[in-house]
Amino acid sequence: MQDDDTTHGPLAGFTVGVTAARRAEELATLLKRRGAAVQHAPALRIVPLADDSELLAATRELIGRAPDVVVATTAIGFRGWVEAADGWGIGDALLERLRGVELLARGPKVKGAVRAAGLTEAWSPGSESMAEVLDRLLAEGVAGRRIALQLHGEPLPGFIESLQAAGAEVVGVPVYRWMPPQDIAPLDRLLDATAARALDAVTFTSAPAAASFLGRAEVRGLLPEILGALRDDVLAACVGPVTALPLQARSIPTVQPERFRLGPLVQLVCAQLPTTARVLPVAGHRVEIRGHAVLVDDELRAVPPAGMALLHALARRPGWVVARAELLRALPGSGTDEHAVETAMARLRSALGAPRLIQTVVKRGYRLSLDPAGDMSGGR
C-alpha cells in the first residue's frame, strides 16, 4: 500500500490558520508544500521602525547616556534598529556607543546580526534562552548598572522585574510596535472558521498575535466559542513557550517545537494533525477522515463541507444507524427539510467514489458499513 503522506503530504485534507504578520508567506508556503489548505489572517501589524517615535527617543537617550549592558534579543529587531538609526542620521553614533558596552546576544541569529553591524558580542547563551541571559546578569551583579533591553513585542515574564529587584536600571528599546491589522475582515473570517471548527489548527508565532486573536474574539462576543474550539477540536500550535502564554492563560492546550523556528513548527503540525484523523475499516476499504477531505484506500477525495459534516456525524457512532433528523442538525445552516440530508448524502457518496461505504436504512437513516472484524483507530 502506498503511503499517503508521501503521495499527498502529511497535511493533505487539513486546513491550517496562520496569524503571523511577519514571515507569514514563508510559513504558509511550508504548510502548503506539505498538503495543507491555508487560511491567513494577520492578527496584528508591525509599525515600521523608522516611523516609531518611541524607538527614536530611546535611541537618542542611549547615545546621550551610555548603558553598561545592551541585550539584543532578535536578529531582525537588531538589524532594524541599526537601519532605523541610519535613516535618522544617528547610525554611526549608535554603533560607536554600542562598541563601548557589554553586548549580549540571545542566540546565533542575533550574534550574526551583531557581527554584520561591525560589532562583537561579549557573550551569547547556547540555549537561546532569555532565562540563561538573566541568570548570567544576576550572577555578574547588576546593582547600580544601567541595562538596555531590546524589546521584541512579546512579554518577558519576570525578566525586567528581576533585574530591577536586584538594583538595575532597565531601559526598554521598543524595536517593534504592534498595532491592530488595518483590515480586520480577514481576522474576523479566521475567528468564524475557528469557532465553526472549520480549521484543524491555528499557528501562532508571537504572543501579541495570540493576545490579539483572543482579544478580537472577545470584542465580537465569540470568546466562549473560540475557547471551546481551541480546547477540544482545533490544535493551537505555537512557535515557542512565550508565544503560548496568552493561550495558556485561558486554559487552552498548546504544542510547541523544541527549537523555536518556523521549520520545526511546521514539522510539529505535520506530526500532530494526522493523529487526529479517524481511521475506519468500511465496506472493505480503509477510510481516513481528515478535516476537509477523506483518504479512501490512500486516495485523497475532496468532500464538500456539508458532506464532511454528515461523515463526521456518522463516524461518531460507526456502524450504528443515525437518524435523518440528527444528520439534518449536523448540516451547516440546517433548516427543517430532511430532503437536504438526502441531497448532501448523494454528493458525499459521489465525492467518496465508493457508494457502498454508506448504507441507507429505509425509514430510519444512514450508517457507515463498518467491517465487523476491522480495527479502528484515530483521534477526535
Side-chain angles (χ1 to χ4, degrees):
M1 183 180 291
Q2 196 173 24
D3 179 19
D4 62 279
D5 285 358
T6 300
T7 307
H8 308 291
L11 298 181
F14 293 111
T15 305
V16 180
V18 170
T19 61
R22 185 169 65 87
R23 299 180 69 190
E25 186 175 344
E26 179 184 350
L27 178 53
T29 298
L30 289 171
L31 291 165
K32 289 175 182 176
R33 281 178 184 164
R34 287 153 180 82
V38 174
Q39 184 171 343
H40 174 229
L44 42 75
R45 62 186 168 95
I46 303 172
V47 173
L49 294 169
D51 297 340
D52 198 324
S53 58
E54 286 187 36
L55 177 61
L56 174 58
T59 303
R60 283 178 170 160
E61 182 188 355
L62 291 175
I63 292 171
R65 182 178 164 219
D68 299 292
V69 182
V70 173
V71 181
T73 59
T74 65
I76 189 172
F78 189 82
R79 285 195 301 269
W81 183 18
V82 173
E83 290 167 5
D86 279 339
W88 296 323
I90 55 176
D92 289 341
L94 173 62
L95 292 177
E96 190 59 35
R97 175 60 76 203
L98 293 177
R99 284 191 185 95
V101 305
E102 181 182 355
L103 184 54
L104 307 183
R106 188 211 63 144
K109 286 191 174 182
V110 191
K111 189 191 302 185
V114 166
R115 293 183 181 181
L119 304 170
T120 304
E121 77 287 349
W123 176 81
S124 180
S127 65
E128 303 182 48
S129 164
M130 288 300 288
E132 193 174 344
V133 175
L134 178 61
D135 289 344
R136 177 185 171 89
L137 287 169
L138 294 177
E140 286 179 349
V142 296
R145 302 184 83 193
R146 194 161 186 257
I147 299 173
L149 174 64
Q150 176 210 314
L151 304 173
H152 54 103
E154 303 192 5
L156 297 169
F159 191 93
I160 294 173
E161 294 83 354
S162 297
L163 292 175
Q164 290 172 334
E169 177 191 353
V170 181
V171 179
V173 181
V175 295
Y176 300 154
R177 282 285 301 276
W178 303 107
M179 302 288 285
Q182 287 180 313
D183 181 3
I184 203 73
L187 180 57
D188 284 345
R189 288 194 291 269
L190 190 68
L191 286 167
D192 290 339
T194 304
R197 273 80 165 173
L199 299 178
D200 300 290
V202 182
T203 60
F204 299 94
T205 56
S206 73
S212 176
F213 182 86
L214 296 175
R216 180 61 182 171
E218 193 160 21
V219 167
R220 293 187 58 210
L222 279 177
L223 189 59
E225 291 89 341
I226 294 296
L227 294 179
L230 291 174
R231 287 169 184 165
D232 297 331
D233 296 308
V234 181
L235 178 72
C238 301
V239 77
V242 173
T243 296
L245 289 173
L247 300 162
Q248 292 173 346
R250 298 279 192 170
S251 300
I252 296 168
T254 63
V255 295
Q256 305 112 42
E258 290 185 8
R259 293 180 63 248
F260 311 147
R261 300 282 186 270
L262 294 188
L265 174 63
V266 172
Q267 290 170 5
L268 180 63
V269 174
C270 289
Q272 292 277 330
L273 279 188
T275 68
T276 68
R278 191 72 187 272
V279 181
L280 297 169
V282 183
H285 300 274
R286 179 187 182 276
V287 176
E288 181 174 337
I289 304 170
R290 296 191 167 191
H292 65 261
V294 180
L295 288 167
V296 180
D297 297 330
D298 292 337
E299 182 181 350
L300 189 68
R301 312 286 303 196
V303 176
M308 287 304 304
L310 293 181
L311 190 56
H312 282 298
L314 293 170
R316 277 193 285 272
R317 286 182 286 161
W320 292 80
V321 178
V322 182
R324 285 180 175 80
E326 184 176 339
L327 292 172
L328 180 63
R329 288 193 294 273
L331 285 176
S334 59
T336 57
D337 185 2
E338 290 187 3
H339 181 67
V341 174
E342 296 174 15
T343 302
M345 189 63 71
R347 291 174 179 163
L348 170 60
R349 283 171 163 155
S350 175
L352 293 174
R356 292 179 58 196
L357 295 176
I358 302 171
Q359 179 184 357
T360 302
V361 182
V362 180
K363 296 184 179 178
R364 292 181 60 198
Y366 299 89
R367 62 183 287 274
L368 287 178
S369 302
L370 193 70
D371 294 339
D375 181 37
M376 290 185 295
S377 63
R380 62 175 187 264

